[in-house]
Amino acid sequence: RGSDAVERTGDGGQAATEATPLRRSRRVGIQEQMEQRGQEEFQDLLLRRRFLVVFVVVVLLVLSAIILMLILFVNAVHAFFVYGDKPCDQPLRFYMLATLGSYMLHRVLTQGTQVMVENRTVKSVLAILISVPGNAVVAWGLYMVCSSKECYPGLFYPTRNYIFMQVACIPCCLMMFLASALSLRPLVPLLARLRESPGCQ
């Protein structure tokens, strides 16, 4: 019986020694999983912050551009009413009228296409065609301010500044149009990843 007890004790010690590496491996596995989760949460946090910073910067730039555009537009309209009868070798006095006319035409046609057309591709093509008159007016204004030799300063400079701002905004509008036409596909994986993060559940 004594020998049996010794053997049982030996068997129990052997089982304990065999169980110890299993516990260690489990602990190591759990620690690795926790570290991996911590790294993923940290990367998601950095991704969120970067996305938020980019979003805030873009919003501030857009707001600044809108405010500047409104200021230049008001100055150009003021110059049209106050100095429209002043001498100028180019018909700059008619530019603001052409701009307002092209804007109203663009708005009417855009609303019509949104109601009558459902295909996204057709809408994109029509949007490009509808923007042609407005861009043609801007090109005409740019030609006038670049070709003008003698023009009353009170009429010339406000109109020129507004035209230059319109020219600068054309690439931005084109980028926004392309992003809308592509349905913001590059942002879909980013938004999906942010949605799967712990803070969004």
Side-chain angles (χ1 to χ4, degrees), residues 44-59:
D44 291 336
L45 181 61
L46 289 179
L47 189 62
R48 281 187 191 178
R49 290 183 177 179
R50 291 175 182 175
F51 181 79
L52 181 61
V53 170
V54 172
F55 178 76
V56 171
V57 170
V58 171
V59 170

Side-chain angles (χ1 to χ4, degrees), residues 80 91-99 140 144:
F80 166 74
L92 285 177
R93 62 176 61 92
F94 300 114
Y95 179 77
M96 295 308 298
L97 293 176
T99 299
W140 175 55
M144 286 192 295

Side-chain angles (χ1 to χ4, degrees), residues 101-113:
S102 65
Y103 170 75
M104 295 176 63
L105 177 63
H106 181 273
R107 187 172 181 179
V108 171
L109 294 178
T110 301
Q111 291 178 352
T113 55

Side-chain angles (χ1 to χ4, degrees), residues 31-32 36 61 65 71 85 102 112 118 135 145 154 162 165-166 169 178-179 190 192 195 201:
Q31 290 178 355
E32 290 179 352
Q36 185 176 0
L61 290 176
I71 294 173
D85 57 344
S102 65
E118 297 181 356
N135 294 329
V145 296
Y162 179 67
M165 186 64 187
Q166 286 181 306
C169 288
L178 291 176
L190 175 61
R195 184 178 180 182
Q201 293 179 354

